[in-house]
Amino acid sequence: MPIRVQNDLPAKEILEHENIFVMDENRAEHQEIRPISIGLLNLMPLKEATELDILRSLSNTPLQIDVTFITVSSHESKNTSANHLNRFYQTFSEIKDRRFDGLIITGAPIELHEFEDVDFWAEMCEIMEWTKTNVTSTLHLCWGAQAGLYYHYGINKITLPQKLFGVYKHRVLNRKVPLVRGFDDVFVMPHSRHTDVPIELIRADKRLTILAESRMAGAFLVTAEHGRQIFMMGHPEYDRLTLDKEYKRDLAKGLPIQIPYNYYPDDDPENKPLLTWRATANNIYCNWLNYYVYQVTPYNLYGAPDFSSNFKANDPDIVIL
């Protein structure tokens, strides 16, 4: 699948080196096709690394995707250059009159703060409200998932006694829901967070459906509004060495950090970590783009998409495992 990005985006060269088909603006303009329009609200401090992770995750379907990088204006980024932000990003105020097939809201390392204490929370609320009318399907990741569940459904996060850090087993609960088509019964996925949304509170809200959960890590994949809102608590986009870098960074800073669970062979940080979640991660993004974005989005991005043909919460064909 060609990913359509700006001609001089730094991640473009890395993706091409990985044999991922990246189409620049010049070539895309000569194709008679409407690409899928995806917005990426990037809240992570190291934005270039997150761009690469997300673009890599979007690269495994035959659809052409036009990615718009979005940033909040109510927070000053200290870890990404102003030049990069000015060249490749738009603020919410600059895109709020547009409509998108899909939107990805990333996590942010601010989970120990109360939502209302986050300096861009008011803007986040405006964005999440805007998604109800201007986005076909919104995918919330990690802190973004916790923020979405709090804003849309009033379910608050709790602080964990110890950081949830490592690669954890999960099981699929609703196999016939399109988002988890092709999944194995059990799969692994990285987590890295100090907070959690209690799974019993999610289960108690009949507007929400848990599609995958972990005995140790809690809810992983949750959907609502027939897929218009999707919440992922972990990090399927993580690269092989992301947890390794986090672990060694915190060690160097003298912070209390345990060895990532189920990550290093023999629990030895000198051993190269095994990449055990990439196939499932690719499946998640492919299913999201196909069943919740491409199959239901109006061609001209106007009009209300219909998700009911994909999945109904009371569909008798859905089997709860």
Side-chain angles (χ1 to χ4, degrees):
M1 175 212 70
I3 301 174
R4 177 176 171 178
V5 297
Q6 296 96 321
N7 299 342
D8 51 350
L9 182 74
K12 178 174 179 287
E13 183 178 351
I14 300 173
L15 292 169
E16 289 175 332
H17 181 72
E18 296 179 6
N19 202 29
I20 293 174
F21 185 11
V22 181
M23 180 180 294
D24 63 30
E25 297 166 311
N26 295 334
R27 180 172 178 180
E29 288 174 357
H30 292 86
Q31 290 201 333
E32 294 294 330
I33 187 173
R34 181 179 87 72
I36 298 297
S37 179
I38 300 294
L40 173 60
L41 178 60
N42 191 350
L43 304 174
M44 293 295 285
L46 300 176
K47 299 193 185 304
E48 293 183 58
T50 303
E51 294 161 14
L52 181 60
D53 287 342
I54 297 295
L55 291 175
R56 186 186 288 118
S57 297
L58 295 175
S59 68
N60 290 280
T61 80
L63 305 172
Q64 184 186 132
I65 296 178
D66 186 358
V67 179
T68 298
F69 297 118
I70 305 167
T71 187
V72 291
S73 57
S74 46
H75 175 79
E76 181 181 353
S77 179
K78 299 177 181 178
N79 297 280
T80 300
S81 71
N83 179 58
H84 185 85
L85 291 171
N86 291 334
R87 289 173 67 187
F88 301 113
Y89 279 76
Q90 298 181 59
T91 62
F92 173 64
S93 62
E94 293 173 321
I95 58 91
K96 66 181 181 180
D97 292 329
R98 292 175 54 187
R99 296 187 181 228
F100 290 84
D101 299 297
L103 178 74
I104 299 172
I105 300 177
T106 74
I110 51 176
E111 56 194 290
L112 291 176
H113 297 283
E114 297 297 328
F115 291 115
E116 291 81 3
D117 293 337
V118 173
D119 58 3
F120 57 86
W121 180 245
E123 189 173 2
M124 274 291 294
C125 293
E126 184 181 0
I127 292 170
M128 289 188 287
E129 186 65 26
W130 167 86
T131 64
K132 295 179 180 179
T133 54
N134 287 59
V135 179
T136 303
S137 179
T138 303
L139 185 60
H140 308 71
L141 305 179
C142 203
W143 181 86
Q146 296 182 355
L149 287 168
Y150 179 64
Y151 177 77
H152 293 294
Y153 301 99
I155 304 176
N156 206 346
K157 56 185 170 63
I158 60 170
T159 301
L160 296 170
Q162 179 175 281
K163 183 178 183 179
L164 187 72
F165 188 47
V167 179
Y168 298 87
K169 287 183 179 180
H170 304 73
R171 64 188 182 101
V172 176
L173 300 181
N174 290 271
R175 176 159 300 285
K176 290 190 177 181
V177 176
L179 192 59
V180 291
R181 282 182 182 164
F183 275 45
D184 294 325
D185 290 340
V186 176
F187 63 92
V188 297
M189 199 60 62
H191 289 262
S192 177
R193 50 190 166 87
H194 293 274
T195 57
D196 188 34
V197 179
I199 193 169
E200 61 273 12
L201 297 182
I202 298 175
R203 286 198 188 106
D205 194 318
K206 301 306 180 184
R207 298 170 294 177
L208 300 170
T209 301
I210 300 174
L211 301 184
E213 66 177 22
S214 166
R215 180 178 60 82
M216 298 178 67
F220 167 68
L221 191 57
V222 180
T223 185
E225 298 289 331
H226 303 314
R228 294 208 65 185
Q229 297 166 353
I230 297 170
F231 309 93
M232 282 200 293
M233 303 300 178
H235 287 284
E237 78 283 358
Y238 268 12
D239 201 355
R240 178 194 304 271
L241 296 177
T242 305
L243 293 177
D244 176 71
K245 292 175 182 176
E246 290 185 15
Y247 173 64
K248 292 175 179 175
R249 176 201 65 197
D250 288 356
L251 276 183
K253 292 181 178 179
L255 299 175
I257 185 68
Q258 71 273 20
I259 291 177
Y261 174 79
N262 193 32
Y263 180 57
Y264 297 114
D266 301 322
D267 279 340
D268 184 350
E270 297 302 315
N271 290 333
K272 182 180 181 180
L274 296 177
L275 182 58
T276 54
W277 60 90
R278 177 62 57 78
T280 303
N282 289 343
N283 204 1
I284 291 173
Y285 283 96
C286 285
N287 286 346
W288 176 62
L289 288 170
N290 185 27
Y291 298 114
Y292 297 86
V293 178
Y294 175 70
Q295 297 290 349
V296 295
T297 189
Y299 181 82
N300 61 5
L301 282 177
Y302 286 86
D306 179 15
F307 283 82
S308 60
S309 61
N310 272 346
F311 166 55
K312 292 181 179 179
N314 58 356
D315 192 329
D317 288 333
I318 290 177
V319 178
I320 309 298
L321 300 179

